[in-house]
Amino acid sequence: MAAPRQLRLSFDSRLENVALAGRALHGIAHEVGLSVAACDGLELCVVEAVTNSIVHAYGGAPEHEVRLHVTVSDEVLEVQVIDRGTPMAPGRLERAEPAVLQKPALLAESGRGLLLMRQLMDGLEYTTDASGNTLKMTLRLGPKLTAPA
C-alpha cells in the first residue's frame, strides 16, 4: 500500500476563487482515475462547500482564508474544506430532508448544496473547534485497473 498523497491549497474568500478550487479538484479526481461523472460530482461538491464557506461562514467578506486539504490513498479521496468563520448550525448536516426529496419544488433557489453533497459523496462530516470549521467529504476509489502483462 502506497503512502497517502496530500495537497493543501489556501486562497482568499472571494467568490471568483470558487471555480478555480472546483477545477483543481476536478483535475485531481481525473488524475486518480475517477470517471468523468465522478470528477464532475466532486467538482460540484467542492464548489458548493467553498461557496458555503465564503457566503455563510464569512458573510461574503473577502480577505479571509479558505483552505482545501486533499488526501488520496489507495481507497479514498478525501477533501477537507476549512474556514475560521461562523460555524454551521448544530445538526444542520445531519438533518434529514425527506419532504425535499419527495417535492424538489419546496427547495429555494439556494440551499441545495448539502443535499447534493450527501447524494454525491460517500461520506460527509462537519466539525468545528478552536482551530476552525471543517467539512470533510470522502469518495471511495474503485480498484485500480492494471494493463494485462
Side-chain angles (χ1 to χ4, degrees):
M1 179 166 16
R5 295 178 284 170
Q6 296 186 359
L7 178 68
R8 297 178 188 271
L9 300 171
S10 175
F11 50 92
D12 188 61
S13 59
R14 296 180 184 276
L15 288 174
E16 58 262 36
N17 291 331
V18 172
L20 293 173
R23 293 305 297 162
L25 267 294
H26 190 282
I28 291 168
H30 176 75
E31 180 66 27
V32 300
L34 290 176
S35 69
V36 172
C39 291
D40 291 347
L42 179 63
E43 179 178 357
L44 176 61
C45 290
V46 168
V47 163
E48 289 290 339
V50 170
T51 298
N52 285 347
S53 284
I54 294 169
V55 171
H56 299 294
Y58 291 131
E63 300 183 17
H64 295 281
E65 183 181 42
V66 178
R67 293 179 288 153
L68 295 178
H69 292 182
V70 182
T71 303
V72 180
S73 69
D74 289 337
E75 299 87 24
V76 174
L77 186 151
E78 176 185 291
V79 179
Q80 294 181 35
V81 180
I82 303 163
D83 65 60
R84 295 185 57 84
T86 303
M88 190 183 334
R92 174 72 178 102
L93 185 63
E94 295 78 20
R95 218 175 297 142
E97 300 181 39
V100 170
L101 294 174
Q102 299 296 323
K103 299 177 184 175
L106 294 176
L107 275 172
E109 185 174 318
S110 66
R112 299 177 184 173
L114 292 175
L115 182 62
L116 288 169
M117 287 180 235
R118 282 196 300 263
Q119 291 177 336
L120 294 171
M121 294 292 104
D122 294 316
L124 197 59
E125 286 178 41
Y126 181 79
T127 57
T128 188
D129 57 31
S131 65
N133 311 308
T134 302
L135 179 68
K136 181 170 76 171
M137 300 178 282
T138 55
L139 197 55
R140 285 189 297 273
L141 302 175
K144 301 293 182 214
L145 299 176
T146 56

